[in-house]
Amino acid sequence: MTAEIIDGKAFAADVRGRVAAHVARLQADHGITPGLAVVLVGEDPASQVYVRNKGKQTKEAGMHSVEHRLDPDTSQERLLALIGELNADPAIHGILVQLPLPGHLDSELVINAIDPAKDVDGFHVSNVGLLGTGQKSMVPCTPLGCLMLLRDRLGSLSGLNAVVVGRSNIVGKPMAQLLLGDSCTVTIAHSRTRDLAEVVRRADIVVAAVGRPEMVPGDWIGPGATVIDVGINRIEGAGGKTRLVGDVAFDSAAQVAGAITPVPGGVGPMTIACLLANTLTACCRANGLPEPEGLTA
Ligand code: NDP
């Protein structure tokens, strides 16, 4: 079998197009423009690239985009004061604090200072609790993107065996909650899981979010399974050139799986697309308007 390649780049472009169309309607019908504020503390090069891309795509979707770039030695008080201002600003519907924060700042305290209704990353403890109890919440962007790809490929996920490899707060755990919400039978695997190969082999859906290059070989994948590879790992290839690979050994897995996301071009582009979708959702909720269809969990 040769797997269908799930084109996350094209799907993300479609999501961004749907968001932009909804934004245009909000402006035309209600005079409302969704606003996203991104806060970056310090000069981490990868974070700077992410923040630049987020700003660019926010504007392309017709939204109001604000960037706050703060010095690496910004105090916790200053950062909390800024979040307080953004919480109170009616033109801002989504607030994202780019992680990781410099070591002297308390990430949990900072994230939990964001108004949960504006927490478009879905990391606030209130949103984590709402998701865990099946209530309306803001859903973390990467797992939301994975869920959209899975629904698009499989339709109903009800009754399917899903294995999530990785139990981080930003990917693994919320991913498992979302799959449970769609009535999958969910197993969360991690570094202490016994017989991981056997656990993965039973899955109809495999979501790998580990951060170890090509850790999941093709012979762990059950025939016909749908494989969502969240991992982004930079490895050195021939001639010292670096390239990106996922957590799944793509070539061997693609021989067995029914469908698989590539790296790059799979889950990665979905994350910012879902950030835009979450900002739109937050704006609709704040204004008592219907939420965009197909762009939430
Ligand atoms: P974390 O490091 O926070 O979590 C990794 C998880 O993998 C942990 O739960 C860990 O288990 C588990 N793990 C580690 N080694 C093994 C092993 N040998 N067998 C089984 N499980 C193992 O990573 P993140 O969740 O933040 O990210 C995971 C990957 O996804 C990274 O490559 C990251 O770059 C990528 N990513 C991609 C995004 C995107 O936009 N596409 C967004 C976010 C992340 P334990 O808890 O027991 O230590």
Side-chain angles (χ1 to χ4, degrees):
M1 177 184 292
T2 306
E4 176 199 328
I5 310 300
I6 299 174
D7 188 346
K9 205 172 160 191
F11 197 88
D14 179 65
V15 169
R16 292 198 304 272
R18 283 188 276 152
V19 169
H22 201 105
V23 169
R25 281 200 300 279
L26 272 184
Q27 285 164 338
D29 297 347
H30 304 281
I32 297 169
T33 303
L36 173 65
V38 176
V39 180
L40 173 64
V41 186
E43 282 148 9
D44 178 64
S47 295
Q48 287 186 338
V49 174
Y50 293 142
V51 167
R52 201 177 314 129
N53 286 340
K54 284 167 186 170
K56 181 170 168 277
Q57 294 188 26
T58 305
K59 284 181 208 141
E60 281 169 5
M63 296 188 190
H64 173 50
S65 165
V66 181
E67 277 175 34
H68 290 273
R69 291 170 181 265
L70 306 180
D71 290 339
D73 57 359
T74 298
S75 70
Q76 184 126 303
E77 291 67 33
R78 166 77 188 101
L79 182 54
L80 291 175
L82 173 61
I83 290 172
E85 286 165 27
L86 296 170
N87 282 343
D89 185 343
I92 296 298
H93 304 96
I95 302 169
L96 181 148
V97 177
Q98 184 65 45
L99 299 175
L101 287 171
H104 68 284
L105 298 170
D106 180 341
S107 300
E108 275 184 17
L109 193 82
V110 169
I111 296 302
N112 288 327
I114 298 172
D115 177 349
K118 297 189 179 188
D119 168 39
V120 281
D121 249 345
F123 296 160
H124 190 291
V125 71
S126 296
N127 281 315
V128 175
L130 290 168
L131 178 62
T133 49
Q135 300 178 69
K136 195 182 269 194
S137 64
M138 295 307 304
V139 176
C141 302
T142 300
L144 178 58
C146 296
L147 185 73
M148 284 185 189
L149 293 175
L150 284 167
R151 284 177 175 167
D152 182 64
R153 149 91 189 153
L154 296 168
S156 169
L157 309 185
S158 181
L160 296 179
N161 284 326
V163 172
V164 180
V165 190
R167 56 174 164 179
S168 72
N169 290 336
I170 64 167
V171 188
K173 284 182 196 153
M175 187 72 245
Q177 295 287 3
L178 289 171
L179 291 166
L180 197 56
D182 269 27
S183 299
C184 290
T185 302
V186 182
T187 303
I188 307 177
H190 46 77
S191 67
R192 309 294 171 87
T193 298
R194 290 192 196 147
D195 299 327
L196 184 57
E198 269 314 302
V199 171
V200 172
R201 215 168 271 135
R202 286 199 302 267
D204 303 303
I205 294 170
V206 180
V207 181
V210 182
R212 293 169 73 98
E214 301 179 325
M215 191 198 93
V216 178
D219 64 2
W220 288 17
I221 305 295
T226 301
V227 179
I228 303 291
D229 190 351
V230 182
I232 302 177
N233 309 289
R234 191 168 283 283
I235 61 165
E236 203 162 302
K241 270 183 108 177
T242 63
R243 63 189 180 98
L244 291 183
V245 296
D247 290 341
V248 178
F250 182 84
D251 290 342
S252 59
Q255 300 304 312
V256 197
I260 185 167
T261 57
V263 177
V267 174
M270 290 299 291
T271 298
I272 299 185
C274 287
L275 173 67
L276 304 183
N278 276 351
T279 304
L280 173 60
T281 299
C283 176
C284 291
R285 287 180 186 168
N287 288 283
L289 295 167
E291 291 175 20
E293 269 177 41
L295 296 175
T296 54

